[in-house]
Amino acid sequence: MSGVMKRMGMIFRAKANKALDRAEDPRETLDYSYQKQLELLQKVRRGVADVATSRKRLELQLNQLQSQSSKLEDQGRKALALGREDLAREALSRRAALQQQVTDLETQHQTLQGEEEKLTLAAQRLQAKVDAFRTKKETIKATYTAAQAQTRIGEAFTGISEEMGDVGMAIQRAEDKTAQLQARAGAIDELLASGALDDPSGTAKDDIQAELDRLSGGTDVELELQRMKAELAGGSSSQQQAIEGGTGTGNASRAQSPQSQQDTPETPRFDKQ
């Protein structure tokens, strides 16, 4: 049972890792890291400011204690001048206690001053590191954006992107439908021509009528050809009139011209059953 649970946990972590990797944007990750470094730099600067504030407070206390020490020394001298040795001894005793406090504060002041210098140097180094990271971050973001755009353009050109794939499928379906309609129209035309299908409009022709129309069209072509030959040869006007007369009479001109009788196909005869 424990093995099954471990396997399920591994599968879940693997799928979660894959989903996170798909959702992760390196540019957002870099911006987040830069933001964290700025927050750390801000904390270091705040620490430097706090240490500097404490140092300044110690300096103020030192100045006060030194001022009091000087005052007690003056008072002791005055008391000794007036013959009050006891008062002079008391003033000097108080001055000695203040001097001990001044020594302790000076030690603390030196310690705070050293910490302030260390923090200031650390803040400067961290500032330089943050600036370098910002430059590198912007370079990586620009490179990533350019690579992403180039990839999308390449996918669009090759047609492997999702959007272009949909467009390609739509074009393929349109071409398939067009080819299907063309094939259907051609099949219907062939069936109508063969007589397998009836034309409800009544414009369809049977085989006899189609043959007659073909022969009539061929006769007109032959006559027009004779006309053009006569014009090119510079024939007489009487020959041209004969040819033009043959145009109006139809088959009669064929009987007068041996060449036209030889070239014109014979009209089929249909015997009555």
Side-chain angles (χ1 to χ4, degrees):
M1 187 65 181
S2 60
V4 174
M5 295 300 295
K6 289 182 179 179
R7 187 177 179 184
M8 290 178 62
M10 183 179 296
I11 293 174
F12 176 77
R13 288 192 296 270
K15 290 186 176 296
N17 186 30
K18 185 176 181 180
L20 290 175
D21 184 69
R22 188 184 300 110
E24 182 182 8
D25 190 346
R27 294 168 295 185
E28 296 177 354
T29 304
L30 290 173
D31 289 337
Y32 179 76
S33 299
Y34 178 70
Q35 185 66 30
K36 286 297 182 182
Q37 291 185 10
L38 287 179
E39 292 177 0
L40 179 60
L41 179 61
Q42 187 66 25
K43 289 180 180 180
V44 173
R45 289 176 175 174
R46 190 179 296 112
V48 174
D50 293 339
V51 173
T53 302
S54 299
R55 177 183 58 79
K56 192 64 177 178
R57 188 176 299 171
L58 286 178
E59 291 177 355
L60 293 175
Q61 291 179 2
L62 281 172
N63 292 332
Q64 292 177 359
L65 290 175
Q66 290 175 355
S67 177
Q68 291 177 7
S69 177
S70 299
K71 184 178 179 180
L72 288 172
E73 184 179 0
D74 292 339
Q75 288 177 354
R77 287 178 180 178
K78 290 180 180 180
L80 187 61
L82 294 174
R84 299 292 304 271
E85 186 177 350
D86 55 340
L87 291 177
R89 184 178 293 106
E90 181 66 22
L92 293 176
S93 298
R94 291 182 179 181
R95 181 179 179 275
L98 288 177
Q99 193 64 33
Q100 184 63 37
Q101 294 180 9
V102 169
T103 303
D104 295 340
L105 288 177
E106 286 179 348
T107 303
Q108 295 180 8
H109 180 269
Q110 292 178 358
T111 302
L112 288 176
Q113 190 173 6
E115 292 294 330
E116 182 181 357
E117 291 177 356
K118 290 180 180 179
L119 288 175
T120 302
L121 182 60
Q124 293 175 355
R125 291 178 177 177
L126 184 58
Q127 179 68 54
K129 183 179 179 181
V130 171
D131 292 340
F133 180 80
R134 180 182 59 186
T135 302
K136 187 174 182 180
K137 172 182 72 73
E138 295 300 329
T139 302
I140 294 175
K141 286 175 62 178
T143 305
Y144 179 84
T145 303
Q148 188 180 38
Q150 186 176 2
T151 302
R152 289 179 178 175
I153 293 173
E155 290 179 350
F157 274 117
T158 56
I160 62 176
S161 62
E162 184 177 355
E163 294 81 2
M164 294 303 297
D166 295 338
V167 173
M169 292 178 62
I171 294 175
Q172 185 63 38
R173 288 195 300 269
E175 290 179 349
D176 292 341
K177 289 184 178 180
T178 302
Q180 184 179 1
L181 290 176
Q182 289 177 346
R184 185 177 180 85
I188 292 175
D189 290 340
E190 291 180 358
L191 292 174
L192 286 174
S194 63
L197 293 179
D198 295 334
D199 187 1
S201 62
T203 58
K205 300 179 181 179
D206 54 10
D207 295 339
I208 298 175
Q209 184 63 39
E211 184 67 18
L212 292 175
D213 292 340
R214 186 181 66 82
L215 292 177
S216 177
T219 302
D220 294 339
V221 170
E222 291 297 332
L223 293 175
E224 186 65 24
L225 182 60
Q226 293 295 330
R227 181 195 301 273
M228 294 176 64
K229 287 181 178 180
E231 291 177 355
L232 292 175
S236 61
S237 60
S238 60
Q239 186 178 359
Q240 292 181 3
Q241 291 177 0
I243 294 175
E244 291 176 357
T247 305
T249 57
N251 294 332
S253 64
R254 263 199 332 264
Q256 296 176 2
S257 176
Q259 182 67 28
S260 65
Q261 289 179 0
Q262 183 179 355
D263 295 337
T264 304
E266 184 178 0
T267 303
R269 298 179 179 178
F270 300 96
D271 298 333
K272 297 182 180 180
Q273 298 294 334

